[in-house]
Amino acid sequence: MAIELLPAPANPVDRLGLYRQFLPAESDDIDLLDFDVIWSGTLAPHLLDLNPYLSADEREQYFDIYLQNNSVGDALVGLPLTGDIGLLYYRTDLLEKYGFEQPPATWSELEEMAATIQAGERDENAEFWGYVWQGNVYEGLTVNALEWQASMGGDLIVDADGRLVKDDGAAAVLDRAAAWVGEISPPNVTVFQEEDARWMFQNGNAAFMRNWPYAYGLSQAEDSPVRDRFGVTRMPKGDGADASHASVIGGQQIGVSRYSRNPDAAADAARCLTDATAQRRRALADGTPPAIAALYDDADVQARIAAAAQIAESLAEHAVARPAAMTGGHYTEISLVYFIEVNRVLTGEQSGASAVARVGEQVAGWLE
Ligand code: GLC
């Protein structure tokens, strides 16, 4: 079987725009499409249910969080090509220098360590900050803010059934993150995306960073100023007894168009492109984290992906999906409202309570 690759924009939003153009026209030009983890609900009306094409063993090889994220109603509309998950990066040398034996387990510990290290390092480095993350007005802020909410006790925007959550805890969480800005995080963290955070961390100007696994290999490059001076751990949790670590998943999925003239062959290709052999090959070739749990026990994968143990733990135990599957195709609009309102809290334009109220008013119409 030969698969012809068609050009598509790399930017996920532009890519979705392209899919939204040709899928409603029921074009049979395309059999397979790959998509960001957040488009499962939006693309679902145009995608085949892949459940009938998988054995129970094949299905269960993927981390459960991807099966949840890609299940819209009873239909499994995509299979995960890659794993992606939020990690906390920390400077091992600076923890040691300031007498911290472990990386932070809670947000309170992170706040304290970041402040201490920052105060000490400022004498030598005026550019130094405690904690860098993604606060720009874009999808990455939805990711960061949902991690705060899920780990500190405030609930997500919508619950598992797609109903709006009205949670007072969320307001306090947003106010707490806003207080980091200009204190332990640079004032311009409100315009940071992944690469801005990585740039600061990799150049030795930050003690802690929230980022995806891709930043590990780059920060470990031969010429990286922080080479061999950092580690990764799970994202911190809140202080409450019921708080738990929470990391948002990302990554690319592959689905089969309902309008394909070759649905069986296309489903077979989706299965092969995401099976253990294919994901192992990609992991060894370029360090792409697999979405298959068993591959993290493979010695060659462990040797190639230095953060493998933490990625596997976070995907298995701390993973949270954005509300893509149960928002009836409205995820994009809901996330847009959410990250705009959250950013306005970070920049001091409104309180957390105001943001929660405004998000609620704007998204209610899209939910049940
Ligand atoms: C990464 C993730 C993707 C997420 C994006 C946000 O690319 O894989 O799921 O939407 O970051 O910036």
Side-chain angles (χ1 to χ4, degrees):
M1 171 173 45
I3 298 177
E4 187 189 348
L5 283 177
L6 299 174
N11 175 308
V13 178
D14 297 344
R15 209 174 177 99
L16 182 71
L18 180 77
Y19 293 163
R20 275 179 154 169
Q21 266 170 33
F22 78 79
L23 286 173
E26 306 194 1
S27 155
D28 62 6
D29 290 350
I30 289 170
D31 304 294
L32 289 159
L33 356 79
D34 68 317
F35 57 94
D36 190 292
V37 76
I38 51 179
W39 309 129
S40 54
T42 303
L43 295 173
H46 306 289
L47 297 176
L48 269 193
D49 178 12
L50 297 173
N51 277 315
Y53 296 94
L54 298 177
S55 69
D57 284 352
E58 282 166 343
R59 210 185 120 89
E60 278 156 27
Q61 68 185 329
Y62 306 113
F63 283 104
D64 192 50
I65 190 75
Y66 286 104
L67 297 174
Q68 287 174 33
N69 183 85
N70 296 350
S71 293
V72 180
D74 292 331
L76 181 63
V77 300
L79 303 179
L81 281 162
T82 63
D84 211 7
I85 185 97
L87 301 174
L88 184 73
Y89 288 70
Y90 62 95
R91 286 280 299 277
T92 45
D93 56 339
L94 294 179
L95 255 55
E96 198 185 325
K97 179 172 170 187
Y98 291 90
F100 297 116
E101 277 167 22
Q102 303 280 342
T106 64
W107 289 106
S108 299
E109 288 172 12
L110 179 133
E111 287 166 346
E112 190 207 318
M113 292 185 193
T116 304
I117 298 173
Q118 181 181 300
E121 292 300 293
R122 275 289 170 81
D123 293 343
E124 288 167 32
N125 180 357
E127 313 282 300
F128 194 91
W129 289 91
Y131 181 42
V132 292
W133 37 280
Q134 294 82 42
N136 203 333
V137 195
Y138 83 123
E139 182 60 28
L141 177 54
T142 294
V143 168
N144 280 249
L146 288 184
E147 285 172 350
W148 308 330
Q149 282 191 229
S151 62
M152 294 186 208
D155 242 318
L156 307 184
I157 326 168
V158 292
D159 68 15
D161 298 320
R163 282 185 304 252
L164 181 64
V165 172
K166 298 202 175 80
D167 189 322
D168 296 338
V173 167
L174 300 180
D175 290 331
R176 181 168 179 180
W180 298 337
V181 180
E183 288 295 321
I184 56 169
S185 301
N188 61 344
V189 75
T190 59
V191 296
F192 271 23
Q193 299 197 10
E194 285 83 353
E195 282 293 87
D196 307 291
R198 182 178 70 82
W199 183 251
M200 273 195 74
F201 185 80
Q202 191 167 326
N203 280 306
N205 292 333
F208 300 101
M209 167 174 75
R210 187 263 174 225
N211 218 323
W212 306 100
Y214 87 93
Y216 198 104
L218 296 169
S219 297
Q220 252 314 81
E222 288 286 334
D223 59 352
S224 165
V226 297
R227 184 177 162 87
D228 294 333
R229 294 199 283 143
F230 72 95
V232 286
T233 187
R234 58 216 186 299
M235 291 300 294
K237 62 177 183 173
D239 294 314
D242 58 350
S244 51
H245 301 283
S247 285
V248 164
I249 57 158
Q252 289 292 303
Q253 319 304 306
I254 191 158
V256 174
S257 164
R258 279 197 188 174
Y259 320 116
S260 167
R261 271 171 291 155
N262 305 296
D264 293 348
D268 202 36
R271 201 174 47 77
C272 292
L273 288 166
T274 59
D275 72 8
T277 309
Q279 298 213 31
R280 183 173 186 278
R281 193 184 313 122
R282 285 196 295 274
L284 299 186
D286 60 8
T288 300
I292 292 182
L295 286 177
Y296 289 88
D297 298 330
D298 181 305
D300 295 333
V301 171
Q302 290 171 356
R304 179 67 181 79
I305 302 178
Q310 188 55 57
I311 296 170
E313 179 200 303
S314 291
L315 279 168
E317 292 172 31
H318 316 307
V320 173
R322 284 164 276 176
M326 68 298 268
T327 34
H330 292 295
Y331 177 79
T332 316
E333 295 94 324
I334 293 170
S335 180
L336 180 86
V337 164
Y338 180 74
F339 65 63
I340 288 175
E341 297 299 343
V342 172
N343 182 266
R344 294 182 61 222
V345 180
L346 302 177
T347 56
E349 286 164 71
Q350 68 177 344
S351 65
S354 163
V356 170
R358 288 179 51 90
V359 170
E361 280 161 25
Q362 294 170 81
V363 309
W366 291 314
L367 301 172
E368 295 290 303

